[in-house]
Amino acid sequence: MSQEMFNALILPLLFSMAGGTYAYLRFPERRPSVLLTLILFQLVGSAGHTMEPGEALFGLLGLHGLVVFGLLVHGLLTPQGEPATERVRQDK
């Protein structure tokens, strides 16, 4: 029975890992929303594991959790740039 839940969640979790890593690295200004989305995918997978526990799904969630944790640590260790000063046009 747990194989059905694994089959239902494998593609969304794999897609979130691949797409989330790409979006995190490619678009630095969108990192907070990408990380939030990855965490929400992790929560959905955890709910599926709670409903129908299985070793395969647990392994997939562990891998997904490592990816999310790695991206979170990278985001915390990356220095944030200073916001650009606003240019104001002065009419003469």
Side-chain angles (χ1 to χ4, degrees):
M1 197 68 169
S2 65
Q3 184 66 31
E4 294 173 3
M5 186 62 73
F6 176 75
N7 290 340
L9 290 175
I10 188 168
L11 288 178
L13 288 175
L14 288 176
F15 175 77
S16 74
M17 282 189 287
T21 303
Y22 172 77
Y24 180 87
L25 296 174
R26 179 73 172 93
F27 306 107
E29 67 278 358
R30 296 184 189 168
R31 285 182 179 171
S33 61
V34 169
L35 288 173
L36 178 63
T37 304
L38 287 173
I39 291 170
L40 291 176
F41 269 101
Q42 184 75 24
L43 290 175
V44 168
S46 298
H49 184 267
T50 302
M51 286 187 265
E52 295 182 19
E55 291 180 19
L57 183 56
F58 183 76
L60 181 62
L61 285 172
L63 177 65
H64 192 274
L66 283 174
V67 170
V68 172
F69 182 72
L71 293 177
L72 280 169
V73 168
H74 179 267
L76 291 174
L77 294 178
T78 303
Q80 301 295 320
E82 293 292 325
T85 58
E86 185 176 337
R87 295 184 182 190
V88 178
R89 176 186 277 178
Q90 295 179 353
D91 293 328
K92 291 186 179 183

